[in-house]
Amino acid sequence: PQGIGSPSVYHAVIVIFLEFFAWGLLTAPTLVVLHETFPKHTFLMNGLIQGVKGLLSFLSAPLIGALSDVWGRKSFLLLTVFFTCAPIPLMKISPWWYFAVISVSGVFAVTFSVVFAYVADITQEHERSMAYGLVSATFAASLVTSPAIGAYLGRVYGDSLVVVLATAIALLDICFILVAVPESLPEKMRPASWGAPISWEQADPFASLKKVGQDSIVLLICITVFLSYLPEAGQYSSFFLYLRQIMGFSSESVAAFIAVLGILSIVAQTIVLSLLMRSIGNKNTILLGLGFQILQLAWYGFGSEPWMMWAAGAVAAMSSITFPAVSALVSRTADADQQGVVQGMITGIRGLCNGLGPALYGFIFYIFHVELNELPMPESPAGGSAVTQYHLQQNSIIPGPPFLFGACSVLLALLVALFIPEHTNLSVRSSNWKKHCGSHGHPHSPQAPGEAKEPLLQDTNV
């Protein structure tokens, strides 16, 4: 088999790290180019670009997952990384094409789906949570240093060097997949030919959402995930632009903010989450995380000074414990042969939010007239000199309306989460899920009688 060594989690980790390190380098240059390209409706256009990308990813993820079940993971790792990184060199060639290709690249911007399937191929069920945690932590670690490095290189040598460096790292990632990554899908799981049919059920992006109402407990969990992740997805798409242009942060300050937030989030999702799960339980950990998220979003919404953003960022790190706690609750309460189905539902909800959230935030910025009608603010190491003048012109008691809307959404999520029982057994309520599990497996992946099931391979929505 092609590649170096046996398939391992470390192959997947390196692929993820290089891809997001390349994009992290472009954090500061992208914010500048976005404002220069769309000076009138910056937030609205940013929301539309990210929203189209997110919706296309949501629609294409199940199909790409199903195809990777047939043709192997390596070729789709190569495909997703190539098309996800394809817009990078266009930043300096043509900004309009750069943003157009970013939105269209959402069709293939599903590297995480293929990577998780790769990890599922090569790990036992009891190892999988730790392996997924390692992949997620690698994603956070790649963004800890890369924005700061990109901002420094851009200030000293110019943005062109940053774009060239990011392109080189993306090419390195592609070469790594071609040369070093071995195929993880066992030969016995492969079809006899490349013409194997893919059923609509496998490629249907709404398949996971259709099953949500089949169990009242899962319905409560999915509503909680939707109401809490919708503002998070929107915030992630626009917040760094908000810091840069509205709050007057310099490129270095934005990079430092991302680094600090990333480090605190890694600590919160490992040490703090473990302590809370043991001391106050699964459900109370979810409620605590939602409470922190409400506080963080309200603080972002009413905050008008840079120090408020830094303080709210520390709270944001604590709010990152919510989704791992939700995933742990689902994995604990669902049967082993239903893990892929239930986790697939939550993944589908999050994918939908990745499309709706950015578009919603951009639209709310637009209707509240939070726009950039002047040239980019001058660089200020303290990050506050130009803010006062801007807010005098803005004359608004709510600098960030979408964040306040997000706080209300998460408050609803908290009220819904109060009705989720701490201990439940979903297998009692989900007999028709088992039928789905039996029919949703790939027709070309017969399972030997004594083998353990691989839920993620059976539910391609993940």
Side-chain angles (χ1 to χ4, degrees):
Q2 296 179 344
I4 299 175
S6 302
S8 70
V9 177
Y10 299 107
H11 288 102
V13 161
I14 293 173
V15 170
I16 287 292
F17 181 84
L18 290 175
E19 177 180 333
F20 288 99
F21 190 88
W23 275 108
L25 289 172
L26 297 177
T27 301
T30 297
L31 299 183
V32 175
V33 173
L34 184 66
H35 176 56
E36 291 175 349
T37 309
F38 308 107
K40 290 295 183 184
H41 303 302
T42 310
F43 288 102
L44 179 63
M45 293 306 300
N46 178 63
L48 291 177
I49 291 166
Q50 298 297 330
V52 170
K53 179 181 178 181
L55 285 173
L56 288 177
S57 298
F58 166 70
L59 294 173
S60 66
L63 176 60
I64 290 180
L67 290 173
S68 74
D69 284 345
V70 176
W71 296 337
R73 315 296 182 201
K74 179 171 179 170
S75 56
F76 282 91
L77 277 178
L78 189 64
L79 190 71
T80 55
V81 170
F82 176 81
F83 281 101
T84 302
C85 296
I88 292 177
L90 294 174
M91 176 182 281
K92 283 300 173 184
I93 299 172
S94 171
W96 279 92
W97 276 107
Y98 171 69
F99 291 114
V101 174
I102 281 181
S103 59
V104 176
S105 70
V107 174
F108 296 101
V110 290
T111 309
F112 263 105
S113 298
V114 185
V115 163
F116 280 171
Y118 188 97
V119 171
D121 292 342
I122 58 178
T123 55
Q124 299 297 322
E125 190 173 326
H126 65 278
E127 305 169 328
R128 208 164 285 155
S129 297
M130 186 177 295
Y132 288 165
L134 183 60
V135 172
S136 300
T138 302
F139 164 70
S142 69
L143 296 178
V144 167
T145 56
S146 55
I149 294 172
Y152 171 77
L153 292 176
R155 181 166 53 84
V156 176
Y157 301 105
D159 289 345
S160 296
L161 177 69
V162 181
V163 174
V164 170
L165 180 60
T167 304
I169 292 174
L171 290 174
L172 176 64
D173 197 9
I174 292 170
C175 292
F176 177 78
I177 297 172
L178 279 171
V179 175
V181 175
E183 177 56 59
S184 65
L185 195 65
E187 285 295 331
K188 63 182 179 180
M189 303 287 285
R190 302 291 189 86
S193 70
W194 272 47
I198 301 294
S199 69
W200 167 245
E201 185 181 9
Q202 291 171 289
D204 182 7
F206 299 97
S208 59
L209 305 184
K210 292 173 184 173
K211 299 188 291 292
V212 167
Q214 294 180 1
D215 184 279
S216 60
I217 306 301
V218 173
L219 180 62
L220 291 174
I221 293 174
C222 287
I223 292 173
T224 301
V225 170
F226 180 80
L227 291 174
S228 63
Y229 193 71
L230 185 68
E232 184 176 335
Q235 170 192 322
Y236 183 78
S237 70
S238 61
F239 187 61
F240 301 133
L241 176 66
Y242 181 78
L243 289 180
R244 180 80 172 84
Q245 303 292 354
I246 303 300
M247 301 309 300
F249 274 47
S250 66
S251 299
E252 291 79 9
S253 298
V254 172
F257 188 93
I258 296 172
V260 171
L261 195 62
I263 293 170
L264 291 176
S265 297
I266 292 171
V267 173
Q269 292 182 50
T270 52
I271 300 171
V272 177
L273 179 63
S274 176
L275 292 174
L276 288 174
M277 293 281 277
R278 286 201 299 267
S279 58
I280 65 175
N282 213 151
K283 178 183 174 180
N284 290 331
T285 302
I286 295 172
L287 297 176
L288 183 64
L290 292 173
F292 276 117
Q293 191 177 359
I294 295 170
L295 177 60
Q296 161 226 333
L297 287 167
W299 210 334
Y300 283 157
F302 287 111
S304 58
E305 298 294 335
W307 69 265
M308 297 179 181
M309 299 297 104
W310 285 98
V315 179
M318 279 300 299
S319 71
S320 67
I321 64 175
T322 304
F323 187 71
V326 169
S327 297
L329 177 67
V330 169
S331 65
R332 182 182 300 173
T333 54
D335 285 352
D337 63 342
Q338 299 166 2
Q339 292 286 333
V341 178
V342 186
Q343 296 285 2
M345 292 181 193
I346 296 178
T347 304
I349 295 285
R350 280 168 64 96
L352 192 59
C353 290
N354 282 331
L356 297 178
L360 183 63
Y361 264 51
F363 181 68
I364 294 175
F365 272 126
Y366 175 71
I367 62 175
F368 277 88
H369 306 292
V370 181
E371 291 297 338
L372 308 174
N373 298 319
E374 69 278 349
L375 294 174
M377 295 183 183
E379 293 290 332
S380 166
S385 61
V387 178
T388 307
Q389 178 185 358
Y390 181 84
H391 283 299
L392 285 175
Q393 296 174 0
Q394 193 70 13
N395 193 25
S396 172
I397 59 171
I398 306 176
F403 303 113
L404 200 59
F405 168 82
C408 296
S409 176
V410 180
L411 178 60
L412 291 176
L414 179 65
L415 295 176
V416 172
L418 287 172
F419 293 96
I420 300 174
E422 174 74 49
H423 302 290
T424 183
N425 185 6
L426 298 183
S427 62
V428 176
R429 302 177 175 82
S430 50
S431 59
N432 46 359
W433 287 1
K434 294 189 177 182
K435 298 175 188 175
H436 173 83
C437 280
S439 62
H440 197 66
H442 198 276
H444 296 280
S445 45
Q447 193 165 350
E451 285 185 357
K453 293 198 174 188
E454 296 284 357
L456 284 176
L457 297 181
Q458 295 193 3
D459 193 304
T460 53
N461 287 305
V462 180

